[in-house]
Amino acid sequence: MNPFWSNIFRGSGYEATLAYFLSTVPIFSKLKKGELSFLESIVHVRNYKADEIVFEEGDIGSGMYAIRSGQVRIYTLDDHGHESEQATLDPGDFFGEVALTASRPRIASARTTEATVLVGLFRSDMLDAIRKHPAVSAKILLGLTRVISDRLHQSHLQVNELERERGQS
Amino acid sequence: MNEQSGFSRAQIVLLYIVLTAAIASGISIFSSASTITRLLNTATDGLFLPILISLIVAFLLDPIVQYFEKEKIGRTKSIFIVYFLVSILLFVLFMIIGPQNLLGMMKSLKGDFPRYFGRAVDFFNIQLSTVQTHFPFVKDYDLVDKLRGSAEELVGLILAQTPKSAMRIGSLFLLVPLFSFFFLRDSRRIMRGLISLTPNRYFEMVLDIYDHVSWQLAHFIRGRIIEASIIGLVVWMGLSLTDIRYAPILGLIAGITNLVPYIGPIVGMIPGLIIALVDLGMGGQFWWILCVYLLIAQVILDNFILIPILISRVSNLHPLLVILAIVMGGKLYGVLGMIIGVPIASIINIIILEIRQYRRTFSPYIRIVSNRDGYG
């Protein structure tokens, strides 16, 4: 098609918006459009350069991050100060979600490996939202619970598996 | 060529010129900077009070606005609802007191004020003369004349400033609702914008500290204002039981001065006591008024009921700091500064305390302990 017409009949560009990106994050996947635009108003978009520390092990955590673009490395330090990598996260992934519910020290460090855009949702904004918009907040927190309980389920199965293996050997 | 100094003549001349130019430009920058600060001073001269009051109003109205703010009712709409309700409330209050009553009170107070002051000075004079009969060496101090002089000065000042302050109050009625509307509506956005400027590494910390500080501040300011209005109301009620005149105004004074700890209540008591002495004499009613001021308002209500409920002890200031804040506030903004100096000092105190507490939980020692906990 002629670029002139394709420009006119182009979609609204919804795929490029922050709201669309948030809907791709598993925690927020069940939210409707209006709720997503509310979520959009309480998150913070942060730009990171390559090799910038997002948080370090032991920091007081206050919220979760979702990766909009770029890459983040999650690692822990052993006693000798060597990094041991836990995971490498790509766009659409999220991390640090445990700190959203209560201020716990971070159990791992996070660092960007390239120029990265992170979308942060923090506890103070969440508490505010719970007071003012309980319905949406309940949905967000339900999504969070779903993800965390999925993970708990997974790790429970893994523990069972490992115990069975140990019993066999 | 002058080899000994290491500079050629042209270089020395150049150096001289450069130095002169540097000094001259430094002086001109300094003078223009002081001109700019003076201009800024003039431009923001009348704005300090409206902005402060509208901040306080915004803090006070914020919980009510939040109460109305729901999914269906936006923030702006709920602010309008609150404004509407508040204006109705003010109007009703105004009608209850009665505009005629209020105006008459103002007029008669203007006439009575010098009389009260003169009588107070006379009373003091009599007391002094009895003191002088007992302690003759006090005679050398010409206290009475000094007091009378400064009192007359004060009265003159108040009379001279009345038209000016009337205009100021008029502009306040216009500016405060406007400012507080925008503070209420956009404070979140403004603060989000400011916080988003912090570097990534400290972002979470700043966000958390801001959250704590703003909660504490809202709590503190709300508590102080509610405390002051309850005290004012109780004093008004208590004084209304006697024959004393100007009970509403005296209640207002007691409420406002109650914002200043330690010294405020005593100062707020003086006008009431003077009026009681002059009009009613040293009878049973005088003792009842003293009782209302001291025992009921201060000891029972303020110390035992209001302060423990409304204001946490954390925000208590050291008495020395209170006096310093009063003196410094007075130097900066006169009588108004004396009243708001202490609250502002406590606000700074709260901010410092919160940051310190946050840093303590952020310290490396805690980090090690929490790591140990995390890994068992």
Side-chain angles (χ1 to χ4, degrees), chain B residues 84-116:
Chain B
F84 183 66
L85 290 179
V86 167
S87 52
I88 286 180
L89 190 76
L90 286 181
F91 184 73
V92 166
L93 206 70
F94 187 67
M95 288 320 273
I96 287 175
I97 296 174
Q100 228 48 47
N101 217 338
L102 215 61
L103 217 68
M105 207 145 63
M106 282 293 176
K107 264 193 190 129
S108 64
L109 186 64
K110 216 170 173 179
D112 276 347
F113 191 77
R115 187 168 67 87
Y116 284 134

Side-chain angles (χ1 to χ4, degrees), chain A residues 23-42:
Chain A
S23 75
T24 63
V25 178
I27 290 180
F28 312 125
S29 60
K30 296 276 164 66
L31 297 182
K32 297 197 188 74
K33 263 196 181 180
E35 295 162 342
L36 282 171
S37 70
F38 167 70
L39 183 61
E40 216 178 4
S41 74
I42 63 169

Side-chain angles (χ1 to χ4, degrees), chain B residues 16 110 132 145 149 221 305 329:
Chain B
Y16 176 75
K110 216 170 173 179
Q132 272 166 356
D145 264 12
I221 293 175
I305 301 173

Side-chain angles (χ1 to χ4, degrees), chain A residues 43 46-47 52 65 128, chain B residues 188 192 196 198 200 204 375:
Chain A
V43 294
R46 309 287 303 169
N47 296 300
E52 210 176 332
Y65 294 92
D128 205 38
Chain B
R188 250 181 79 79
R192 272 174 73 95
S196 72
T198 53
N200 285 327
E204 281 186 35
Y375 293 112

Side-chain angles (χ1 to χ4, degrees), chain A residues 41-44 46-48 52 56 58-60 62 65 105-107 122 124 128 131-133 136, chain B residues 66 69 71 75 188 192 196 198-201 203-204 207-208 211 358 361-362 367 370-371 375:
Chain A
S41 74
I42 63 169
V43 294
H44 297 260
R46 309 287 303 169
N47 296 300
Y48 288 80
E52 210 176 332
E56 277 183 327
D59 282 0
I60 302 296
S62 72
Y65 294 92
R106 303 280 191 189
I107 54 171
F122 297 99
S124 56
D128 205 38
R131 216 168 41 227
K132 287 179 194 162
H133 302 269
V136 189
Chain B
Q66 265 181 26
E69 188 188 359
E71 226 110 323
R75 182 138 184 116
R188 250 181 79 79
R192 272 174 73 95
S196 72
T198 53
N200 285 327
R201 191 72 190 88
F203 179 71
E204 281 186 35
L207 195 69
D208 258 15
D211 192 50
Y358 193 86
T361 50
F362 212 67
R367 215 178 270 189
S370 63
N371 276 358
Y375 293 112

Side-chain angles (χ1 to χ4, degrees), chain B residues 58 79 83 176-188 190:
Chain B
I79 294 171
Y83 265 40
V176 167
L178 201 70
F179 283 172
S180 46
F181 173 78
F182 286 114
F183 283 145
L184 277 172
R185 205 188 62 155
D186 296 331
S187 62
R188 250 181 79 79
I190 295 167

